C-alpha cells in the first residue's frame, strides 16, 4: 500500500512521481534488504533491481491490488524475477574480462622471426662469395658435400673446408650483430 489513506490507482492518477515516491517511501527498506540478499550483497545491482521494480509497479499501477500485504508481496516477487532474469542473462554470455591482463599477453606476429632472418641474411652477405655458395649448397639447398662439390666444380675436400670456415665466420658475424648461437 502506498499511502494508508489512498489506493495505488489514486496515486497513479496523481502523477508519475507521486506513485513512485509513495512506493519508495513505504517499501524501500524492506525491498532493498530483500533484493540485497538475492544479489549476494551487490549493492549496485540491488539498487538497479529496486529501481526496475518500482518502474514496473508504476507501469502496472492500475492493476495493482492495494490490500495490506499483497502490494509488498507483488513487489518482492517482481524483484525476485528481475534478479533471476539477470542471473540467467549473465550465464548466457561469456564472462567479461578486464582489458589490463589482455594487454600483457604476447601475440605471436612473426616480427622476431623476420628480424632474425634479416640479421642472418646480412651476416651471410658479409661472407666471401665462395663461403656463401658453400653454405647455400650444403645447408640451404640440403645437398651432400659430394653433390655440392659437383655443382660448384671443386673437390669435396674444398667444399668441407669452405663450409667449416664459412660457419666460423658466420658465427662471429652473428655474435657481432647481437645474436647468440
Amino acid at each position: 500500500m502506498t499511502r494508508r489513506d489512498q489506493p495505488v490507482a489514486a496515486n497513479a492518477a496523481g502523477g508519475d512521481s507521486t506513485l513512485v515516491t509513495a512506493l519508495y517511501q513505504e517499501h524501500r527498506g524492506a525491498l532493498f534488504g530483500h533484493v540485497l540478499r538475492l544479489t549476494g550483497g551487490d549493492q549496485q545491482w540491488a539498487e538497479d533491481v529496486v529501481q526496475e521494480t518500482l518502474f514496473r509497479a508504476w507501469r502496472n499501477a492500475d492493476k495493482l491490488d492495494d490490500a495490506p500485504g499483497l502490494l509488498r508481496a507483488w513487489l518482492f516477487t517482481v524483484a525476485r524475477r528481475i534478479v533471476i532474469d539477470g542471473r540467467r542473462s549473465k550465464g548466457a554470455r561469456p564472462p567479461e574480462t578486464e582489458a589490463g591482463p589482455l594487454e600483457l599477453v604476447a601475440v605471436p606476429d612473426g616480427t622476431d622471426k623476420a628480424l632474425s632472418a634479416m640479421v642472418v641474411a646480412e651476416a651471410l652477405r658479409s661472407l666471401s662469395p665462395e663461403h656463401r655458395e658453400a653454405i647455400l649448397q650444403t645447408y640451404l639447398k640440403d645437398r651432400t658435400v659430394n653433390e655440392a662439390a659437383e655443382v660448384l666444380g671443386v673437390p669435396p675436400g674444398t667444399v668441407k673446408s669452405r663450409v667449416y670456415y664459412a660457419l666460423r665466420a658466420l658465427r662471429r658475424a652473428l655474435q657481432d650483430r647481437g645474436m647468440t648461437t
Side-chain angles (χ1 to χ4, degrees):
M1 213 149 104
T2 56
R3 291 190 182 145
R4 302 249 183 250
D5 57 340
Q6 292 180 321
V8 174
N11 281 324
D16 295 348
S17 63
T18 307
L19 172 66
V20 174
T21 303
L23 286 174
Y24 184 76
Q25 287 174 349
E26 188 167 339
H27 301 285
R28 72 175 173 239
L31 184 59
F32 183 75
H34 175 69
V35 173
L36 194 58
R37 282 187 299 279
L38 292 175
T39 60
D42 186 338
Q43 287 191 329
Q44 183 65 45
W45 188 17
E47 289 172 6
D48 291 344
V49 170
V50 168
Q51 183 178 3
E52 178 65 22
T53 302
L54 293 174
F55 175 72
R56 291 184 186 183
W58 172 77
R59 271 194 348 220
N60 296 298
D62 56 331
K63 301 174 192 166
L64 293 178
D65 188 350
D66 44 329
L70 294 179
L71 181 58
R72 183 171 282 190
W74 185 89
L75 291 170
F76 278 40
T77 301
V78 169
R80 184 176 58 81
R81 288 180 180 164
I82 292 170
V83 171
I84 290 170
D85 290 345
R87 289 192 195 282
R88 285 181 182 159
S89 69
K90 285 180 183 178
R93 59 186 136 136
E96 296 177 8
T97 58
E98 294 183 20
L102 289 179
E103 293 172 357
L104 303 176
V105 175
V107 178
D109 62 355
T111 305
D112 290 338
K113 194 174 183 180
L115 287 174
S116 295
M118 290 169 56
V119 171
V120 170
E122 182 183 325
L124 278 170
R125 281 192 295 274
S126 72
L127 299 177
S128 69
E130 293 83 16
H131 288 151
R132 189 172 41 249
E133 193 60 35
I135 294 288
L136 175 75
Q137 294 298 324
T138 55
Y139 282 92
L140 300 177
K141 292 191 176 180
D142 200 28
R143 292 191 169 127
T144 65
V145 171
N146 290 335
E147 292 170 343
E150 206 174 297
V151 169
L152 296 173
V154 294
T158 304
V159 173
K160 286 181 185 180
S161 175
R162 287 180 182 173
V163 167
Y164 173 78
Y165 288 108
L167 288 175
R168 282 183 60 189
L170 190 58
R171 187 175 295 118
R172 257 191 323 272
L174 290 173
Q175 286 174 347
D176 290 346
R177 287 167 176 79
M179 291 188 69
T180 58
T181 54

